[in-house]
C-alpha cells in the first residue's frame, strides 16, 4: 500500500496500531509511518514479530475453546486487518453455522475486511464502528441482523483495550457490552501488562505516543476488573507460559516464549 492511495479520512503519516500489527504479521496493508513505528518497536522488543504470531495463535485457541462450549455467535471488537486464520475461519471448522461480526473504526481495515468477506457465507460481516461506544455498536443494523443477543454471544476484546486510555473509561466500555449479553455468554480479553515487564513496556508506550491511539498497559487488578461479575474460566486471569494456554495443549506450551507470555494478561469470563 502506498501513501498516495490512502482512503478519504485516513492520514497515512500517523501510525495506526492495526496497520502496525499487520506489518508485524507480514501483511501489506500498511503505510510508511506504520512500518517505521514497527521497526522502532523492534529495536526495543526484538521479539515483537514472534509475539504477534504467538498472540494470533492464542486468539485461535480461544475461539476453538468457545466453539467447544457451544458458542455460535461472535462479536470481534477492534478486529484489525484481516490476517491468516480469522475468527470465522477457525469457528467454521467445527461449527459451519457460527455467525461472526467484526468491528473496527479504521476505514482501511473495514474496506479490506469487506473485500475479503465477499466470497464468505452470509454468516460473516464487517462493520465500521467505534468499539468505545457500546450502544452504537450493539444497535448497528448489521450487528442486530446477524447476532441474537437473547442467546449466548462471545465478545472478543483481544488486544484492543490497552489502546483505550483511562480518560475514555475503558471499564465502563466493557461493562456496556457485558450488560447486553444473555446468561451463558462469554467475554474474552487479552491486554498488555504493566506490572510484569514494566521497563521495556514503558519504552514501547513512549513510541506509541506518536500513533493514532496511545498504548495503555494495565496491572492485574485493572485487567481483572474488565470481567466484572463474570465467572473467570480456570485458571483465571492468565500471565505466563503455563497459564496462558489453559485452552491449548502441550504443543502450545512449547510454542510460547516464557518472557513474551508475561507481557500480557488474558482470560475468558462467562456470564452466569
Amino acid at each position: 500500500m502506498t501513501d498516495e492511495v490512502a482512503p478519504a479520512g485516513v492520514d497515512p503519516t500517523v501510525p495506526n496500531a492495526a496497520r502496525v500489527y499487520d506489518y508485524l504479521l507480514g501483511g501489506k496493508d500498511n503505510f510508511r509511518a506504520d512500518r517505521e513505528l514497527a521497526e522502532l518497536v523492534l529495536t526495543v522488543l526484538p521479539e515483537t514479530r514472534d509475539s504477534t504470531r504467538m498472540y494470533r495463535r492464542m486468539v485461535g485457541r480461544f475461539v476453538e475453546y468457545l466453539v467447544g462450549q457451544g458458542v455460535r455467535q461472535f462479536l470481534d471488537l477492534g478486529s484489525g486487518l484481516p490476517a491468516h486464520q480469522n475468527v470465522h475461519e477457525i469457528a467454521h471448522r467445527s461449527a459451519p453455522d457460527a455467525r461472526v461480526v467484526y468491528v473496527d473504526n479504521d476505514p482501511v481495515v473495514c474496506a479490506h475486511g469487506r473485500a475479503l468477506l465477499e466470497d464468505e457465507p452470509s454468516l460473516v460481516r464487517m462493520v465500521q464502528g467505534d468499539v468505545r461506544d457500546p450502544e452504537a455498536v450493539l444497535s448497528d443494523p448489521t450487528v442486530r441482523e446477524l447476532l441474537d443477543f437473547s442467546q449466548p454471544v462471545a465478545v472478543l476484546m483481544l488486544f484492543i483495550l490497552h489502546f483505550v486510555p483511562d480518560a475514555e473509561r475503558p471499564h465502563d466500555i466493557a461493562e456496556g457490552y457485558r450488560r447486553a449479553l444473555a446468561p451463558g455468554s462469554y467475554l474474552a480479553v487479552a491486554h498488555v501488562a504493566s506490572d510484569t515487564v514494566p521497563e521495556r513496556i514503558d519504552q514501547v508506550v513512549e513510541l506509541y505516543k506518536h500513533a493514532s491511539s496511545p498504548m495503555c498497559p494495565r496491572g492485574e487488578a485493572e485487567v481483572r476488573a474488565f470481567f466484572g461479575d463474570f465467572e473467570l474460566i480456570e485458571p483465571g486471569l492468565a500471565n505466563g507460559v503455563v497459564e496462558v494456554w489453559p485452552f491449548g495443549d502441550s504443543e502450545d506450551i512449547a510454542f510460547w516464549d516464557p518472557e513474551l507470555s508475561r507481557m500480557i494478561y488474558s482470560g475468558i469470563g462467562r456470564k452466569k
Side-chain angles (χ1 to χ4, degrees):
M1 183 183 291
T2 63
D3 296 353
E4 290 72 25
V5 296
V10 175
D11 185 350
T13 67
V14 178
N16 172 277
R19 297 194 299 267
V20 171
Y21 185 72
D22 172 71
Y23 173 71
L24 291 168
L25 281 173
K28 298 180 180 179
D29 295 284
N30 45 75
F31 298 114
R32 183 182 300 112
D34 306 311
R35 297 188 288 274
E36 289 174 349
L37 176 56
E39 291 297 334
L40 286 172
V41 171
L42 287 168
T43 65
V44 176
L45 289 172
E47 315 95 322
T48 300
R49 185 167 274 117
D50 289 336
S51 71
T52 57
R53 296 187 177 99
M54 293 178 191
Y55 298 155
R56 193 71 192 172
R57 187 183 180 106
M58 186 185 71
V59 172
R61 289 303 198 185
F62 276 18
V63 173
E64 288 172 354
Y65 171 82
L66 291 165
V67 168
Q69 300 305 302
V71 175
R72 296 296 181 267
Q73 302 188 103
F74 293 85
L75 181 61
D76 188 358
L77 300 172
S79 58
L81 284 155
H84 180 60
Q85 296 301 300
N86 289 303
V87 170
H88 72 276
E89 293 173 324
I90 296 165
H92 285 167
R93 288 177 194 159
S94 304
D97 59 335
R99 300 190 293 279
V100 179
V101 177
Y102 298 104
V103 180
D104 206 285
N105 68 343
D106 188 294
V108 173
V109 168
C110 294
H112 194 145
R114 292 189 182 107
L116 181 81
L117 298 175
E118 281 183 354
D119 297 326
E120 293 294 336
S122 59
L123 300 176
V124 188
R125 289 288 185 271
M126 183 91 211
V127 170
Q128 184 172 343
D130 190 337
V131 302
R132 296 169 298 182
D133 189 347
E135 183 176 351
V137 170
L138 294 169
S139 62
D140 181 273
T142 299
V143 174
R144 302 304 300 190
E145 176 188 355
L146 210 61
L147 303 181
D148 178 3
F149 285 90
S150 70
Q151 300 297 317
V153 175
V155 173
L156 309 180
M157 304 187 82
L158 302 173
F159 306 104
I160 182 63
L161 286 167
H162 52 240
F163 291 115
V164 181
D166 291 341
E168 295 179 1
R169 306 177 69 86
H171 290 92
D172 289 350
I173 293 169
E175 181 185 7
Y177 290 105
R178 293 197 313 267
R179 192 167 52 240
L181 299 178
S185 294
Y186 291 84
L187 172 64
V189 173
H191 195 293
V192 172
S194 65
D195 52 359
T196 52
V197 282
E199 182 178 345
R200 292 204 293 165
I201 289 297
D202 286 347
Q203 295 177 59
V204 174
V205 169
E206 284 298 314
L207 293 174
Y208 267 89
K209 287 182 178 179
H210 304 289
S212 57
S213 299
M215 181 179 285
C216 305
R218 295 184 171 93
E220 180 180 2
E222 293 175 290
V223 178
R224 187 181 299 275
F226 287 122
F227 293 96
D229 61 356
F230 278 30
E231 178 184 14
L232 278 166
I233 306 300
E234 289 296 331
L237 190 63
N239 176 258
V241 162
V242 175
E243 297 169 325
V244 135
W245 290 110
F247 315 112
D249 55 26
S250 57
E251 179 184 346
D252 291 317
I253 298 295
F255 184 80
W256 196 267
D257 180 270
E259 184 171 3
L260 292 179
S261 71
R262 295 181 62 244
M263 293 183 183
I264 63 166
Y265 285 109
S266 63
I268 298 177
R270 183 179 185 274
K271 188 169 187 175
K272 301 177 183 177

